[in-house]
Amino acid sequence: MTFTIPRGTQDILPEDIEKWYLIESSAKSLFKLFNFREIRTPIFENTDLFARGVGEESDIFNKEMYSFKDKGGRHLTLRPEGTAAVTRAMIQHNLHKKMNPLKLFYIGPFFRYERPQAGRYRQFHQIGVEYINEKSPYADAEIIALGYHLFESLGITDLKVCINSVGNAIARPVIEEMVKQFISANLSKLPTHIQHKFNDNPLRILDSKDESVQAYIAGMPDIKNALTQESKDHFFSVLQHLDEMKIPYEVTHTLVRGLEYYTETVFEIVSDHLGAQNTVCGGGRYNNLSKELNGPDLGAVGFGFGIERTIMLLDHVKKEINSSIDVYLIPLDSLSRDHLFYVMHKLRGLNISCEIGYSENLKSQLKKANQIHAKRVIIMGEEERNKEVVEYKDMFNRTQESVPLDKIVEIVNNDFAYNQVIFA
Ligand code: HAM
């Protein structure tokens, strides 16, 4: 019997890992620029957190959670998303009293029992941010700009930012009634899973991916007519700030998002290159979640984006991401190996990445240097050893020179001096 991974999960192999590093490091440098700090919460939480957090009527809570009882009889759930857990941690550790502004990010695996397909997994990875304790529309705009720049910094620009507002708790029942009124006459003509949502969670009908449903609801009056003046002002301020930063967006009247905690601004970043799962990033404001979890009354806004879907977009822009090594050392006999092993040790101490070949065949070693994208190659055989030199090869410019053995470390170090420079 051979063992394979569970359905809906994937191994991240060394050949793909550079893409993960690239996404994580690009995100982390932007988070630093925007003053976000990392938080790490457990992979599992008490199930009640998600009942309150993502909402008992949501698909995530009803159908997609990996929940189990531990040996002590506790009801636990593998986290399906990060916002509820971060809010729980914020309340538990009084972070809102310790950090101002409270801007947090997280990176890690999340779990949803969904039907696997391209871009949809049961274990997937999200990078998320939460800007807590700030109700200003500037915070919404900052978050959306951060999301947009994140993809831009990866060379992914063929994206659409869709934005809408679902208003506050006062507007919600009015919007639900609007949706029901619009749909009731034709309810029997809509798919049965939509009919089920009619009573339980009518807003989710707007979020349906079903094309026939989308075509039908396109004719619905704008839900923003039901918003209070305050909510309308907030939304238009967000749009104005986005305009000032030249972040392109499209107001999408039917966008509501699938998690129940959203209030006011909701947004998604979508791409035509992702197939059916076309949303790479989703987020919005959630002013009531902290209160809902018995915490203080704090406004917050954030987003999460899927790393797997971002990789699909990276592949589409064909961004060349190679793992590379600074120097590959090729000794052609055992005595030369002793010399080059010492050179390698010195170079690594200078922050220059190195690898050494142990076969004595020059041709196959040069092939290997190419395969691992070595920038420079150092070769030593009997002839060089007798002359106390090495051959130093630049793999980009295809040039080669003989340099004294006792100078090679210094020469390579000068070559890689740019390693130290962060900003020129
Ligand atoms: P979400 O829309 O459920 O929002 O997920 C955010 C992103 O995670 C999606 O746009 C997608 O890229 C990725 N994702 C979700 N489910 C899967 C899956 N099964 N397979 C692969 N990728 C997936 C949230 O989770 C909110 N917590 C975001 C947020 C943060 N809102 C405010 N703050």
Side-chain angles (χ1 to χ4, degrees):
M1 175 184 170
T2 51
F3 291 100
T4 53
I5 46 173
R7 189 164 142 76
T9 67
Q10 46 170 2
D11 293 316
I12 302 157
L13 301 174
E15 65 203 42
D16 291 323
I17 201 70
E18 293 299 325
K19 294 177 192 170
W20 290 73
Y21 288 161
L22 176 74
I23 294 168
E24 289 166 9
S25 63
S26 303
K28 280 182 183 170
S29 29
L30 273 186
F31 294 156
K32 207 166 174 56
L33 277 184
F34 281 70
N35 192 29
F36 282 78
R37 291 175 64 190
E38 186 170 4
I39 183 162
R40 299 183 187 189
T41 61
I43 298 292
F44 57 85
E45 297 268 355
N46 290 312
T47 300
D48 288 348
L49 172 69
F50 299 114
R52 280 286 191 94
V54 303
E56 285 178 278
E57 301 301 341
S58 67
D59 279 352
I60 293 186
F61 185 79
N62 279 315
K63 300 187 206 149
E64 298 171 3
M65 298 217 306
Y66 277 93
S67 297
F68 58 99
K69 242 195 219 179
D70 74 2
K71 290 185 175 30
R74 298 171 196 88
H75 292 272
L76 302 169
T77 294
L78 300 186
R79 58 185 191 180
E81 64 98 51
T83 311
V86 169
T87 307
R88 192 264 316 132
M90 177 274 291
I91 299 167
Q92 184 169 343
H93 303 284
N94 272 319
L95 292 183
H96 56 294
K97 294 192 181 146
K98 296 176 191 159
M99 284 172 72
N100 184 14
L102 181 49
K103 298 167 101 174
L104 304 168
F105 78 87
Y106 48 90
I107 300 180
F110 293 86
F111 306 85
R112 293 184 193 174
Y113 188 76
E114 292 191 88
R115 196 167 46 80
Q117 61 180 84
R120 191 160 74 189
Y121 299 93
R122 290 181 173 168
Q123 173 173 329
F124 60 99
H125 297 77
Q126 250 189 32
I127 300 186
V129 297
E130 313 295 352
Y131 189 169
I132 305 176
N133 200 4
E134 183 52 72
K135 286 191 173 153
S136 154
Y138 281 108
D140 307 39
E142 189 177 331
I143 285 288
I144 296 169
L146 172 58
Y148 183 78
H149 290 315
L150 243 154
F151 294 103
E152 196 184 34
S153 73
L154 291 166
I156 303 166
T157 48
D158 192 8
L159 293 167
K160 202 160 73 181
V161 179
C162 303
I163 183 168
N164 198 20
S165 175
V166 293
N168 58 15
I170 303 170
R172 194 161 185 114
V174 187
I175 296 176
E176 286 181 351
E177 205 38 54
M178 258 175 92
V179 176
K180 280 179 146 180
Q181 260 189 19
F182 180 74
I183 282 177
S184 56
N186 286 299
L187 186 62
S188 56
K189 296 189 196 126
L190 294 172
T192 36
H193 68 278
I194 295 293
Q195 294 180 26
H196 290 314
K197 290 198 165 111
F198 186 78
N199 286 321
D200 299 340
N201 196 354
L203 268 195
R204 290 293 288 142
I205 298 176
L206 300 189
D207 209 34
S208 167
K209 297 273 184 251
D210 190 310
E211 277 179 22
S212 64
V213 181
Q214 275 301 330
Y216 180 66
I217 58 175
M220 212 190 90
D222 186 353
I223 59 169
K224 288 190 289 305
N225 294 338
L227 303 193
T228 62
Q229 192 55 45
E230 205 184 335
S231 291
K232 284 181 187 161
D233 290 346
H234 181 96
F235 185 62
F236 288 113
S237 298
V238 176
L239 299 189
Q240 193 190 334
H241 301 323
L242 291 175
D243 288 336
E244 283 154 10
M245 290 186 284
K246 299 202 166 35
I247 305 291
Y249 61 82
E250 211 175 279
V251 176
T252 308
H253 301 301
T254 51
L255 179 68
V256 290
R257 305 263 307 131
L259 294 139
E260 280 180 25
Y261 47 61
Y262 290 113
T263 56
E264 311 292 348
T265 318
V266 286
F267 72 97
E268 284 184 349
I269 302 182
V270 299
S271 163
D272 289 336
H273 309 300
L274 287 172
Q277 304 304 316
N278 68 343
T279 307
V280 65
C281 175
R285 182 162 275 290
Y286 49 97
N287 288 342
N288 298 333
L289 181 60
S290 173
K291 252 188 317 183
E292 197 58 42
L293 300 178
N294 305 325
D297 182 4
L298 304 175
V301 55
F303 67 70
F305 72 93
I307 300 187
E308 289 83 355
R309 290 185 197 176
T310 307
I311 288 177
M312 289 167 75
L313 294 176
L314 271 184
D315 288 343
H316 189 266
V317 294
K318 297 205 166 41
K319 193 163 170 122
E320 181 92 9
I321 306 154
N322 286 326
S323 63
S324 65
I325 193 138
D326 294 333
V327 179
Y328 189 65
L329 300 103
I330 307 180
L332 296 177
D333 57 23
S334 61
L335 285 176
S336 302
R337 192 178 303 148
D338 289 345
H339 287 292
L340 293 195
F341 194 79
Y342 180 73
V343 170
M344 176 169 75
H345 171 72
K346 284 287 170 201
L347 290 176
R348 282 180 176 160
L350 293 166
N351 198 21
I352 293 167
S353 60
C354 297
E355 189 51 272
I356 194 163
Y358 287 106
S359 134
E360 292 170 5
N361 181 319
L362 180 61
K363 204 165 158 213
S364 70
Q365 289 296 333
L366 282 173
K367 202 167 152 199
K368 175 132 180 246
N370 268 320
Q371 273 167 2
I372 63 172
H373 305 287
K375 296 173 190 145
R376 301 283 188 282
V377 164
I378 298 173
I379 307 163
M380 183 188 251
E382 189 181 352
E383 196 185 322
E384 287 80 18
R385 193 158 30 79
N386 290 337
K387 292 192 212 155
E388 296 192 2
V389 296
V390 294
E391 287 300 308
Y392 185 43
K393 205 171 161 64
D394 183 324
M395 299 296 276
F396 288 131
N397 300 332
R398 303 265 154 213
T399 54
Q400 182 169 331
E401 57 178 332
S402 273
V403 302
L405 177 60
D406 61 359
K407 289 271 179 305
I408 184 65
V409 171
E410 191 186 321
I411 291 170
V412 178
N413 193 31
N414 286 340
D415 250 8
F416 285 92
Y418 67 83
N419 261 3
Q420 319 301 327
V421 180
I422 310 278
F423 287 106

